[in-house]
Amino acid sequence: MRAGLDMPALTEAEAGVVDHYLAAVDCLGRINPTRAEHTYRALLAAQALASHATALRDSLALMFERGETEIHGEVLARAMRILDVQRRVARVAIPDPGPPQP
């Protein structure tokens, strides 16, 4: 966790949403063909992505079943920022090619 920032209080299901969303983002970063170096590692990440997507769906379903019908985006965003979401999402993006070569 980042120093000086307090993790907001989350329900168990909200914490699951954050955890599995970030895990899925991490998998997408390892799969990104502009960054991946080995097909086997990308394959393992793709397989894990399916598991995390299922767990994310289950966390959202649990929220809904418990009557948590609203997603509190600001609270979840604060939690994700504390868990370094910007660095993780940057691995999913396609790198800028830089200035054109002469």
Side-chain angles (χ1 to χ4, degrees):
M1 256 192 303
R2 290 181 166 174
L5 298 176
D6 293 325
M7 181 65 84
L10 303 174
T11 67
E12 179 183 346
E14 287 174 325
V17 168
V18 169
D19 289 343
H20 295 298
Y21 175 81
L22 292 175
V25 167
D26 288 341
C27 289
L28 287 170
R30 288 192 299 275
I31 296 167
N32 184 342
T34 64
R35 298 182 186 273
E37 295 179 11
H38 302 283
T39 56
Y40 186 67
R41 287 184 189 161
L43 172 61
L44 291 177
Q47 292 169 336
L49 176 61
S51 296
H52 290 298
T54 299
L56 177 58
R57 179 207 61 206
D58 293 346
S59 293
L60 288 165
L62 180 60
M63 284 178 68
F64 183 77
E65 290 166 8
R66 290 183 175 175
E68 298 175 48
T69 57
E70 294 182 30
I71 294 178
H72 302 284
E74 290 182 27
V75 174
L76 298 181
R78 193 167 108 219
M80 288 191 282
R81 279 193 289 281
I82 290 169
L83 297 170
D84 205 16
V85 70
Q86 285 88 357
R87 177 189 55 82
R88 293 165 145 183
V89 171
R91 291 191 42 93
V92 176
I94 298 182
D96 186 3
Q101 298 292 329

